[in-house]
Amino acid sequence: MTTTAPHRHRGTPGTGPHRVGLVAATAAGRRHARTLAAAWPNARLVEADGVADALRTAWTTCDAVVAFLATGAVVRVLAPLLGDKRTDPAVVVVDEAARHAVALLGGHAGGANTLAAEVAALLDARPVVTTATDAVDLPGLDTLGWPVEGAVAAVSRAILDGEPVRLVADAVWPLPALPPNVHPGPPTGEHPQDGYRVLVTDRVVPVDDRTVVLRPPSLVAGVGSSRGVPAAEVDALLHRALADAGLSPASLRCLASIDVKADEEGIRATADTLGVPLRTWPAAELSAVDVPHPSEVVRAAVGTPSVAEAAALRDGGTLLVPKTASAMATVAVARHAPRGRLAIVGLGPGAADLRTPRAVAELRRAAVVVGLDQYVDQVRDLLRPGTRVLASGLGAEEERARSAVAEATAGHAVALVGSGDAGVYAMASPALEYADERIDVVGVPGVTAALAAAALLGAPIGHDHVYLSLSDLHTPWPVIERRVAAAAEADLVALLYNPRSRARDWQLGAVLATFAAHRPPQTPVGVVRNASRPDERVHLATLATFDPTVVDMYGLVVVGSSQTRLVGGRMVTPRGYRWRG
């Protein structure tokens, strides 16, 4: 399968096609502008005869503007140029001392809120965002990543004011948490017309001044054509087919075709105009799709009895528009069921500043958060109002894994949280044993306990190392013994998880004796208890002097290799086994 993505007008300043115009009048402003330009390849200082002309030039030639000017001056220059918030550039204003980055225009639609945060991070300033939903920590209806139509401002205001709002959806989609005053309603077509509503549908529906329509990416349009088909013909045929079926083009997930059409300019241009990717499949894969209207003529031409219908149905779905043709093109449209979303999130070792921004973003995107109660308590302040929390105690790992997968399979956006990295002795493995192709899985790496402990001890894992768990709850002790012996003989630095508990009080001593049989007695051994947490404790000793009783279930033990040394009170394993010192 091949996918080509259309050009996106807006993007991330440092990575995408987002063109950022920087406008400054003073030496300090230019200095701050150079800081941004050095960090963002697509940012440039806009020069003109005067600062007003520079601001106008940036407005007309860039996707976003960062102005190191007074807010009032920017408003006076740009006011006559304002058009539509969906197409106007984002504008962020920074004061002379770079203390504040103010999202002035295009907060949601233009991305100014995000841009203000990025500018603030680079300049060590404070982002100033006045959008009402952001101020009270609610997701804006126009920030969910889907096309939105209707009375966005009125419905958003009703949500903010706590008025009853009905969420009416054709299916369960992985939306972020919405506040408690947004209640699920009956399917579209069965609802009364009074009150505020958020409709989630791919169908064309009547709207009023109290209705917002979110367009989920539920439709796939299969397209076949003769060589050289005009883009106008493809576009007209597709829109006519959608209109006849009462479907919105805003819900198109992608166009799909056979791989020999990957370079068909008329199809590619249509995808670009719609802002969706073009996915193409080999003839052999399309020929395996059961379609209602196969054609031997098409098979003889391209090796599959169907292009449009087969491409629309390649990933499953229900055919809503059978193939319909114009002079040179054929289209078919299928509706695909929502896919739930399971984010498996590593929260890091405990300290908030060792939690990754991606982990925070996933927690704020989730409608359901599942995790061990003590880990969920660490992040409750990050969850949006309306987030459903499924917390349980120690020993309920299988239950949590099943619950998270079940919620995602039902179509929800779920975050399954764990400490450290969720893939290291944590929740990723049990959860993915149950997850199937019906859900999208996103892995969010975290700083492991081993990495946090190693940083506190010095540089013990500068060379080859191994993670070992001494818990025999899931692995028989004889198997653990064999693995420990292999690591000891291989002269690997060993990081021992679950080293000791009240019920397992002798195993750690036995393990250290195994390592002592293969390494000098002065080999360093470190233990870190509750790395990065308020009661953090670090203890250093050697194989000859280490006392296992200083270790409990909250500790992690690091056993050096034969080459590990104590240097300045820190464990150091040289990158090569030739010590330089």
Side-chain angles (χ1 to χ4, degrees):
M1 185 270 290
T2 302
T3 301
T4 58
H7 172 81
R8 298 291 186 184
H9 181 61
R10 303 186 190 276
T12 302
T15 59
H18 199 140
R19 296 161 297 177
V20 182
L22 310 175
V23 179
T26 67
R30 288 176 176 272
R31 185 171 65 253
H32 301 320
R34 285 194 293 270
T35 299
L36 301 188
W40 296 340
N42 299 317
R44 65 182 180 89
L45 187 65
V46 179
E47 304 282 4
D49 291 339
V51 69
D53 286 341
L55 196 53
R56 296 186 191 98
T57 299
W59 175 271
T60 56
T61 62
C62 298
D63 303 314
V65 180
V66 179
F68 298 89
L69 303 166
T71 301
V74 175
V75 169
R76 283 191 292 273
V77 173
L78 295 184
L81 305 178
L82 294 177
D84 189 305
K85 68 178 183 179
R86 288 177 289 272
T87 55
D88 286 346
V91 178
V92 170
V93 178
V94 181
D95 62 279
E96 181 79 358
R99 290 174 297 186
H100 300 93
V102 181
L104 183 67
L105 294 170
H108 284 166
N113 292 351
T114 300
L115 182 61
E118 294 172 344
V119 170
L122 286 171
L123 299 179
D124 195 24
R126 182 175 181 178
V128 179
V129 175
T130 58
T131 312
T133 50
D134 295 87
V136 296
D137 201 26
L138 295 177
L141 296 173
D142 54 352
T143 66
L144 302 180
W146 293 351
V148 58
E149 305 166 6
V152 177
V155 176
S156 296
R157 186 167 54 251
I159 294 174
L160 289 167
D161 290 345
E163 296 189 43
V165 177
R166 282 177 296 122
L167 176 67
V168 184
D170 291 337
V172 178
W173 286 89
L175 293 168
L178 295 171
N181 61 307
V182 181
H183 303 281
T188 53
E190 301 177 13
H191 52 78
Q193 296 300 312
D194 59 330
Y196 292 100
R197 301 175 299 160
V198 177
L199 307 184
V200 184
T201 182
D202 57 24
R203 297 184 295 112
V204 176
V205 292
V207 297
D208 53 36
D209 59 2
R210 292 188 166 204
T211 300
V212 158
V213 183
L214 290 173
R215 296 300 186 185
S218 56
L219 305 178
V220 174
V223 183
S225 75
S226 303
R227 183 59 69 183
V229 62
E233 181 175 342
V234 177
D235 184 80
L237 177 62
L238 176 58
H239 279 80
R240 185 168 68 250
L242 290 169
D244 290 346
L247 300 171
S248 171
S251 278
L252 281 171
R253 177 184 304 177
C254 66
L255 302 191
S257 191
I258 191 169
D259 57 3
V260 296
K261 295 298 179 182
D263 63 347
E264 187 65 56
E265 185 56 34
I267 298 177
R268 288 175 57 88
T270 301
D272 287 351
T273 299
L274 292 167
V276 299
L278 169 64
R279 303 179 70 190
T280 58
W281 305 94
E285 293 193 36
L286 294 182
S287 64
V289 179
D290 186 28
V291 297
H293 305 101
S295 168
E296 291 305 314
V297 173
V298 175
R299 185 197 300 274
V302 294
T304 172
S306 172
V307 172
E309 289 182 343
L313 293 169
R314 169 58 182 74
D315 288 330
T318 302
L319 192 66
L320 300 182
V321 179
K323 68 176 182 181
T324 181
S326 62
M328 299 181 68
T330 304
V331 301
V333 181
R335 174 183 288 140
H336 290 249
R339 294 172 61 85
R341 191 174 193 275
L342 175 61
I344 303 176
V345 181
L347 298 178
D353 58 354
L354 290 181
R355 192 181 301 140
T356 67
R358 188 174 299 181
V360 174
E362 287 296 340
L363 290 170
R364 296 177 62 75
R365 190 195 188 288
V368 183
V369 172
V370 183
L372 181 67
D373 46 15
Q374 58 184 287
Y375 298 151
V376 172
D377 288 343
Q378 293 176 14
V379 296
R380 284 187 184 272
D381 62 311
L382 299 175
L383 307 184
R384 291 190 186 277
T387 302
R388 187 154 48 94
V389 175
L390 304 178
S392 52
L394 286 168
E397 287 79 12
E398 290 290 325
E399 175 190 340
R400 285 195 290 275
R402 289 179 182 272
S403 296
V405 172
E407 292 287 343
T409 303
H412 300 295
V414 182
L416 175 61
V417 301
S419 67
D421 183 278
V424 180
Y425 300 124
M427 293 304 300
S429 293
L432 294 184
E433 288 186 43
Y434 302 116
D436 59 27
E437 67 281 351
R438 289 174 294 173
I439 64 175
D440 295 321
V441 176
V442 179
V444 182
V447 176
T448 65
L451 292 175
L456 292 167
L457 291 169
I461 55 175
H463 206 284
D464 297 339
H465 54 277
V466 59
Y467 288 14
L468 294 167
S469 173
L470 302 191
S471 172
D472 56 3
L473 290 176
H474 301 288
T475 306
W477 182 251
V479 175
I480 296 174
E481 285 185 307
R482 290 198 299 270
R483 292 174 178 173
V484 168
E489 184 176 355
D491 199 21
L492 298 171
V493 174
L495 300 105
L496 307 179
Y497 277 70
N498 308 306
R500 191 171 182 270
S501 68
R502 291 178 182 177
R504 291 184 292 105
D505 60 355
W506 61 268
Q507 287 91 336
L508 177 58
V511 166
L512 293 175
T514 300
F515 282 107
H518 294 272
R519 299 178 191 183
Q522 69 271 21
T523 299
V525 178
V527 58
V528 177
R529 186 182 191 275
N530 283 336
S532 86
R533 300 183 186 183
D535 53 349
E536 170 187 286
R537 190 175 69 215
V538 178
H539 176 72
L540 272 170
T542 66
L543 276 173
T545 63
F546 189 82
D547 178 6
T549 63
V550 304
V551 181
D552 62 16
M553 65 182 294
Y554 298 103
L556 185 140
V557 176
V558 181
V559 182
S561 72
S562 65
Q563 301 300 307
T564 305
R565 301 286 188 269
L566 286 177
V567 180
R570 290 177 286 272
M571 289 180 70
V572 181
T573 303
R575 291 185 63 185
Y577 275 172
R578 182 174 61 190
W579 183 255
R580 300 176 182 178

